[in-house]
Amino acid sequence: MHNDIEKILVSEAEIDTICKEMGKQLSNDYKDSTPIFLGLLKGCVPFMAALTKHVTIYMEQLYMAVSSYHGGIKSSGDVKIKYDLEVSVKGRDIIIVEDIVDTGATLKTISALLYHRGAKSVKVATLLDKPAGRLVEFTADYVGKVIPKEFVVGFGLDYNELYRNLPYVGVLKPSVYQK
Ligand code: 5GP
């Protein structure tokens, strides 16, 4: 599997540092609240685990599954909810935990939906941000690392469901998806 990676963009050590700093920042910013960390499945799983280890305040962890890719390497821009929340978010502070922001369509749609359902605040914590990929206006509140407009895999990010278990984030060799 490691042989399919052309280059590493965010190393394991760098991910650790990002999670430590972001966890500290969130613990401070939300010290007077009991926020909901809302992970977007499946990509958020390693980041959620690594980040929340460093969160020192009371918090809840919930998940939704949304998809905009449907396999392949380009976003369809059409956001579908595959697994929804089973509890109310009314009056709650929400931090959406996401692996990457690309076109911005997923986060813009889900943030609006949560406000519509009565959330008090909705912020976004993302491991990676690809601002050059934006198709809709969207700014994440907590960003681990800004990366160029490349298709990346690892640390939760997949290509056709593979590579989520890589401990780092890397760029696939073009030969892998040209097959
Ligand atoms: P957006 O709605 O901002 O275009 O995309 C958000 C979702 O698209 C992410 O949660 C992720 O699932 C997927 N995505 C965007 N860029 C990449 C990428 O470079 N690699 C992978 N594996 N998924 C991506």
Side-chain angles (χ1 to χ4, degrees):
M1 178 178 63
H2 293 276
N3 287 335
D4 292 349
I5 303 301
E6 188 170 81
K7 62 174 182 234
I8 294 178
L9 271 193
V10 197
S11 70
E12 225 177 316
E14 197 176 352
I15 293 173
D16 272 354
T17 306
I18 289 169
C19 292
K20 222 173 262 169
E21 284 169 7
M22 205 185 281
K24 201 169 152 193
Q25 178 80 53
L26 287 163
S27 303
N28 187 54
D29 293 355
Y30 287 85
K31 61 181 182 300
D32 300 322
S33 170
T34 301
I36 292 173
F37 280 56
L38 173 57
L40 300 188
L41 295 169
K42 307 169 196 163
C44 73
V45 173
F47 181 47
M48 178 71 104
L51 174 67
T52 56
K53 270 199 307 198
H54 301 288
V55 174
T56 53
I57 54 167
Y58 291 108
M59 49 89 81
E60 288 176 45
Q61 244 165 278
L62 297 175
Y63 295 91
M64 279 174 88
V66 301
S67 86
S68 68
Y69 263 46
H70 320 301
I73 61 164
K74 275 218 174 78
S75 171
S76 68
D78 163 30
V79 181
K80 284 199 172 56
I81 296 177
K82 294 155 89 182
Y83 166 68
D84 205 349
L85 286 171
E86 282 158 7
V87 297
S88 166
V89 294
K90 209 166 166 108
R92 302 296 303 270
D93 291 314
I94 312 231
I95 301 149
I96 301 178
V97 177
E98 175 65 309
D99 46 12
I100 190 165
V101 186
D102 182 17
T103 65
T106 305
L107 274 319
K108 196 166 182 156
T109 306
I110 301 302
S111 300
L113 175 72
L114 295 168
Y115 274 122
H116 178 75
R117 291 178 178 179
K120 181 171 150 206
S121 71
V122 182
K123 303 257 175 179
V124 170
T126 185
L127 176 63
L128 305 170
D129 191 5
K130 270 200 284 196
R134 282 302 187 286
L135 294 177
V136 300
E137 209 185 309
F138 184 82
T139 309
D141 305 279
Y142 301 87
V143 175
K145 187 168 183 170
V146 174
I147 61 163
K149 199 180 170 190
E150 284 193 271
F151 184 77
V152 293
V153 294
F155 208 71
L157 290 152
D158 74 308
Y159 172 61
N160 287 345
E161 294 302 327
L162 300 178
Y163 307 102
R164 293 191 199 273
N165 55 320
L166 284 173
Y168 50 79
V169 174
V171 179
L172 275 180
K173 289 179 181 160
S175 57
V176 176
Y177 50 80
Q178 279 160 5
K179 268 182 213 158

